[in-house]
C-alpha cells in the first residue's frame, strides 16, 4: 500500500472497536483514523479522540454530542462532533474514507453498513445483524456498490481465510462448513439448573472478552444462531450446509469441509485482533499483537454436539432460514428485546428463548419480492413491539 487507509470505526468504544484501534496503533504508517462513533460512552470516546485526533466523531443524540464537544473543547481537540443516525451513514460513506469497521451491536448497524456498501468501501463486518436483518438487500448493495466485504467475526473470518480469493470457485469446493462454538459459561451445566442464572453469570465468558449483550448471546448460543444466518449469506450456502460443533478451547475458529471431504481449518489464539488485522490488511497479513499459538502447551482439542436442550436458541436459526423472508429479521429483533430485558433483570435467563420462539411464531413477515430498508425496519419494529409485550407479561 502506497498511502495510509482512512478508517471510520463504527462502535469504537466496544471490544471490537478498541481492538481495532490497538491494531491500527501498531501500524501508523498504514492506517489513519478518520472518524469514530459510539453509542453512549462519552468519556471513552473523548479519550479516543484525544489520542487519535479523528476529523469526525458521532453519537446518537444531540445531548451526548454536546457533552462530547464540551470535553474536547476543554482538551483542545478539534474533532468535529456529529449527532444522530444519519451521521453514521454519512461517515460510513464519506468520499475520503477507504475502510469502515462496522462494530455496532444490533440492527442499528444495518443503515450505515448499507451506506458503506453502496459507496463501495472496504467493509469490515463485525455487525452480524446487518446480514441477519438485511440478508439479500445487504448482499445486493455490496454487489451493486462494488464494495469489498470482509467478515470480522472470528468464525466467518476463519471460513474466509480457508477459501480462495476467487469467490466464483466456492460453490464447487464447499460441501459444508462447520462453525465452532465455545459453548459459553454453561456448556457443562445441567439445563435444569439454568433457571436462576444471573446477568453477571451469563456475561462471564471463559474464553473471550466481549460486551454484555454479545456475552449473553454466547451463553444462550444465540450468537451462533445469528452466525449461522450470517454464514448462509456470506458464503451463499443452503441452511443445511452450515453446521455447528462445540469446541471449548476456541483454538479452531471454524472449518470448511470440501467436496472431497478434506477439511480446511483456521487456528489461532482466541484474540479478535487476528481477524481484525486480516481484514484491515487483506490480501496481505500484518502483525496483530496476538500471542502465537503454542502447540506444545495444548493438552487436547475436543468437540461435542450442541445440545438442543441446553441451547434451544441455536436451533431457531435453521427454522428462521427456512421460513418466509424476514423471519431472521423477526428473530433478531426479538432477541435484542429479550436480552435487554434479561440484563435489566426484568425477565429470567430461560425467558430469552421463550420470547424469541414466541415472537417468530406470532409475527409473520409479509414482505414485497425485493424488500427495501424501510420494509425491513418496519418488520423489525413490529417484532420488537410484540417481544416487549411478552416481556411486560413476564415481568408482572
Amino acid at each position: 500500500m502506497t498511502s495510509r487507509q482512512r478508517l471510520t470505526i463504527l462502535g469504537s468504544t466496544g471490544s471490537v472497536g478498541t481492538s481495532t484501534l490497538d491494531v491500527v496503533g501498531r501500524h501508523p504508517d498504514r492506517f489513519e483514523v478518520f472518524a469514530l462513533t459510539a453509542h453512549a460512552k462519552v468519556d471513552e470516546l473523548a479519550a479516543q479522540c484525544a489520542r487519535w485526533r479523528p476529523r469526525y466523531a458521532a453519537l446518537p443524540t444531540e445531548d451526548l454530542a454536546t457533552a462530547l464537544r464540551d470535553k474536547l473543547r476543554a482538551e483542545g481537540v478539534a474533532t468535529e462532533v456529529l449527532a444522530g443516525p444519519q451521521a453514521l451513514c454519512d461517515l460510513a460513506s464519506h468520499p475520503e474514507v477507504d475502510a469502515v469497521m462496522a462494530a455496532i451491536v444490533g440492527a442499528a448497524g444495518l443503515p450505515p453498513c448499507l451506506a458503506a456498501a453502496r459507496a463501495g468501501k472496504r467493509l469490515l463486518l463485525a455487525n452480524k445483524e446487518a446480514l441477519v436483518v438485511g440478508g439479500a438487500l445487504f448482499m445486493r448493495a455490496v454487489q451493486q456498490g462494488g464494495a469489498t466485504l470482509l467478515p470480522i467475526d472470528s468464525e466467518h473470518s476463519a471460513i474466509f481465510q480457508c477459501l480462495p480469493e476467487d469467490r466464483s470457485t466456492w460453490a464447487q469446493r464447499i460441501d459444508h462448513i462447520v462453525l465452532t462454538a465455545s459453548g459459553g459459561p454453561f456448556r457443562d451445566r445441567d439445563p435444569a439448573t439454568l433457571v436462576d442464572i444471573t446477568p453477571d453469570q451469563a456475561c462471564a465468558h471463559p474464553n473471550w472478552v466481549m460486551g454484555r449483550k454479545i456475552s449473553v448471546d454466547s451463553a444462550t448460543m444465540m450468537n451462533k444462531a445469528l452466525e449461522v444466518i450470517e454464514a448462509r449469506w456470506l458464503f451463499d450456502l443452503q441452511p443445511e450446509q452450515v453446521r455447528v460443533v462445540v469446541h471449548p478451547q476456541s483454538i479452531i475458529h471454524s472449518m470448511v469441509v470440501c467436496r472431497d471431504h478434506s477439511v480446511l481449518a483456521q487456528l489461532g489464539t482466541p484474540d479478535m485482533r487476528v481477524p481484525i488485522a486480516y481484514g484491515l490488511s487483506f490480501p496481505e497479513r500484518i502483525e496483530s499483537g496476538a500471542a502465537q499459538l503454542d502447540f506444545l502447551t495444548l493438552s487436547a482439542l475436543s468437540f461435542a454436539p450442541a445440545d438442543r436442550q441446553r441451547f434451544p436458541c441455536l436451533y431457531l436459526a435453521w427454522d428462521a432460514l427456512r421460513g418466509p423472508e424476514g423471519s431472521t429479521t423477526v428473530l433478531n429483533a426479538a432477541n435484542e428485546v429479550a436480552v435487554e430485558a434479561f440484563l435489566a433483570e426484568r425477565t429470567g435467563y430461560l425467558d430469552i428463548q421463550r420470547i424469541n420462539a414466541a415472537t417468530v411464531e406470532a409475527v409473520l413477515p409479509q414482505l414485497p419480492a425485493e424488500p427495501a430498508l424501510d420494509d425491513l425496519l418496519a418488520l423489525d419494529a413490529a417484532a420488537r413491539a410484540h417481544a416487549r409485550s411478552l416481556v411486560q407479561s413476564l415481568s408482572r
Side-chain angles (χ1 to χ4, degrees), residues 52-371:
W52 296 99
R53 305 286 168 143
R55 190 182 305 182
Y56 296 102
L59 286 157
T61 68
E62 188 58 43
D63 288 346
L64 290 170
T66 298
L68 179 61
R69 291 187 193 105
D70 292 342
K71 287 181 178 293
L72 296 183
R73 189 179 303 113
E75 297 181 22
V77 179
T79 297
E80 183 177 347
V81 181
L82 307 177
Q86 184 58 44
L88 302 183
C89 297
D90 293 342
L91 295 177
S93 60
H94 195 287
E96 294 185 47
V97 167
D98 301 303
V100 176
M101 170 58 76
I104 296 174
V105 176
L110 176 57
C113 284
L114 279 171
R118 288 166 175 159
K121 304 301 183 184
R122 172 185 286 247
L123 180 53
L124 283 63
L125 189 66
N127 172 266
K128 58 178 64 67
E129 291 86 357
L131 278 166
V132 173
V133 177
L137 172 69
F138 181 76
M139 293 307 293
R140 279 197 303 273
V142 169
Q143 183 176 17
Q144 293 169 1
T148 301
L149 181 61
L150 298 165
I152 299 302
D153 275 350
S154 61
E155 296 82 1
H156 301 97
S157 176
I159 298 297
F160 186 79
Q161 291 181 56
C162 290
L163 293 171
E165 291 183 32
D166 184 358
R167 292 172 183 257
S168 67
T169 68
W170 289 0
Q172 290 76 37
R173 290 173 179 266
I174 300 173
D175 182 81
H176 65 276
I177 66 172
V178 180
L179 303 179
T180 56
S182 70
F186 310 134
R187 60 178 173 248
D188 298 321
R189 287 277 296 260
D190 181 343
T193 69
L194 297 177
V195 64
D196 295 324
I197 292 297
T198 68
D200 285 345
Q201 289 174 315
C203 290
H205 196 284
N207 297 348
W208 297 93
V209 177
M210 304 178 292
R212 287 175 71 79
K213 193 270 182 184
I214 299 175
S215 295
V216 173
D217 283 348
S218 180
T220 64
M221 220 184 272
M222 188 66 205
N223 74 317
K224 206 58 52 177
L226 299 178
E227 288 170 11
V228 167
I229 298 165
E230 184 182 8
R232 175 265 176 273
W233 291 107
L234 279 172
F235 305 111
D236 194 21
L237 301 171
Q238 296 302 310
E240 59 271 14
Q241 288 181 282
V242 186
R243 303 179 190 178
V244 173
V245 65
V246 174
H247 169 52
Q249 295 81 19
S250 296
I251 297 299
I252 297 177
H253 296 300
S254 279
M255 298 171 274
V256 176
V257 180
C258 301
R259 296 281 179 135
D260 60 2
H261 292 175
S262 60
V263 180
L264 306 177
Q266 188 265 335
L267 286 71
T269 53
D271 191 321
M272 281 304 299
R273 291 177 296 178
V274 174
I276 289 168
Y278 184 72
L280 285 169
S281 63
F282 177 81
E284 302 175 50
R285 288 184 183 265
I286 59 174
E287 196 271 325
S288 67
Q292 288 190 12
L293 185 62
D294 183 356
F295 287 96
L296 299 181
T297 64
L298 296 179
S299 59
L301 298 179
S302 61
F303 305 91
D307 179 17
R308 182 185 289 265
Q309 188 178 6
R310 185 177 285 106
F311 302 116
C313 279
L314 170 63
Y315 292 87
L316 295 173
W318 290 280
D319 293 341
L321 282 171
R322 295 187 179 103
E325 183 174 2
S327 296
T328 59
T329 303
V330 174
L331 176 59
N332 178 74
N335 186 64
E336 289 190 20
V337 171
V339 172
E340 180 183 30
F342 168 67
L343 287 172
E345 300 186 35
R346 297 179 59 201
T347 56
Y349 178 77
L350 296 180
D351 289 329
I352 296 172
Q353 190 274 339
R354 297 185 184 112
I355 292 167
N356 291 349
T359 303
V360 171
E361 184 177 350
V363 181
L364 301 178
Q366 294 181 329
L367 295 173
E370 290 193 1

Side-chain angles (χ1 to χ4, degrees), residues 368-385:
E370 290 193 1
L373 177 59
D374 286 346
D375 298 317
L376 294 173
L377 294 180
L379 178 60
D380 176 89
R384 287 173 191 273

